[in-house]
Amino acid sequence: MKVQHILVVEDDKSIARFVELELKFEGFKVTVVHDGREGLMMAQQQAFDVLLLDVMLPGLNGVELCRRIRAVSDVPILLLTARDAVMDRVAGLDAGADDYLVKPFAIEELLARIRSLLRRAKKHAETSAPLQFRDIVIDEEAYSATVGDEKLELTKTEYDLLKYLVASQQRVCTRDQILEHVWGFQTDVETNVVDVYIRHLRAKLPQSEPPYIETVRGVGYTMRD
């Protein structure tokens, strides 16, 4: 079985060492760096299965580091942050992060988040057929979404949200279900974040009748003919 390789970019050396030892105990191969620019160079030079990025890094902050990596790679990214404000979390997710964890955290939760990211990455790799709803086509291999001949310019979170709604077409998705499948967890993000992203997504889709995304009041959202 392939040993999964994790890159940890964390400037607090005591936290970095603690995480490194725990991950190695769980059977992961671990590379640790303490600077954002060094982390970017390492991510460009080697293949990793998961990246753990601290937000407050010297040289290059974790959000910008995430954005630069996501522009060229779909490797799972987990942000480690001491900040718990909604806009900080949204900024990280919009930059392409798949998940985040607020410090201080329990190592058991970190390991659970990593396992979840690895499962999602494996499922993504096994899925190659384009998803389609009306004239919306999602090509997971190309990591793109189009309406007719027009490519949609979507953030990572918007893309994942659209993909989940298209894959669940004809069914009503509750806000909790959307949080679980798009963000990968349910406890740290308020359900109104889903409504914010639905508005963003609707603004980028062409106007149509019936609309691509319908609101089911008191329940959630659906895409149905």
Side-chain angles (χ1 to χ4, degrees):
M1 180 181 292
K2 175 180 176 288
V3 176
Q4 287 148 331
H5 193 179
I6 298 178
L7 174 64
V8 178
V9 188
E10 167 63 69
D11 66 323
D12 186 319
K13 293 185 179 180
S14 62
I15 293 177
R17 182 59 175 162
F18 169 70
V19 170
E20 178 185 14
L21 291 174
E22 292 291 339
L23 292 177
K24 285 183 175 179
F25 181 78
E26 293 295 323
F28 295 106
K29 180 180 178 181
V30 183
T31 295
V32 177
V33 297
H34 306 293
D35 177 271
R37 294 195 181 279
E38 188 180 359
L40 178 61
M41 181 178 65
M42 193 65 66
Q44 293 171 334
Q45 292 177 347
Q46 296 188 43
F48 295 94
D49 296 289
V50 176
L51 307 184
L52 304 185
L53 311 180
D54 183 34
V55 170
M56 303 300 290
L57 290 169
L60 192 68
N61 71 62
V63 172
E64 181 60 26
L65 174 57
C66 177
R67 184 177 291 108
R68 295 191 188 189
I69 293 171
R70 182 58 72 226
V72 296
S73 172
D74 61 356
V75 61
I77 297 175
L78 173 64
L79 288 181
L80 303 177
T81 176
R83 298 179 175 180
D84 198 23
V86 172
M87 291 313 298
D88 290 323
R89 302 198 299 261
V90 170
L93 294 170
D94 273 346
D98 298 279
D99 199 350
Y100 73 90
L101 192 57
V102 176
K103 299 176 184 177
F105 53 82
I107 193 65
E108 292 81 7
E109 183 174 10
L110 175 62
L111 293 170
R113 299 286 181 91
I114 291 172
R115 289 192 294 267
S116 176
L117 290 176
L118 289 170
R119 286 194 299 270
R120 289 162 61 187
K122 181 180 178 181
K123 184 176 180 180
H124 175 76
E126 292 172 348
T127 305
S128 58
L131 294 171
Q132 186 166 359
F133 172 75
R134 282 156 49 181
D135 57 344
I136 297 175
V137 177
I138 296 177
D139 188 338
E140 295 183 79
E141 289 294 308
Y143 209 80
S144 67
T146 56
V147 178
D149 296 327
E150 297 294 323
K151 182 179 179 180
L152 295 172
E153 298 298 329
L154 304 175
T155 67
K156 168 70 165 52
T157 304
E158 290 166 352
Y159 172 86
D160 288 344
L161 174 57
L162 180 61
K163 183 176 73 171
Y164 176 62
L165 291 174
V166 170
S168 306
Q169 60 187 274
Q170 314 305 331
R171 295 190 291 112
V172 177
C173 301
T174 68
R175 290 172 177 82
D176 285 339
Q177 287 171 333
I178 293 171
L179 284 176
E180 179 180 0
H181 286 85
V182 176
W183 278 264
F185 53 96
Q186 294 176 285
T187 57
D188 293 339
V189 172
E190 297 83 354
T191 55
N192 62 357
V193 172
V194 173
D195 301 328
V196 170
Y197 275 92
I198 289 288
R199 289 199 297 272
H200 290 173
L201 193 54
R202 280 172 167 161
K204 294 184 178 182
L205 290 168
Q207 297 299 310
S208 68
E209 191 58 45
Y212 289 103
I213 303 173
E214 296 182 30
T215 300
V216 180
R217 294 193 179 280
V219 183
Y221 299 95
T222 184
M223 300 182 83
R224 58 190 173 197
D225 298 324

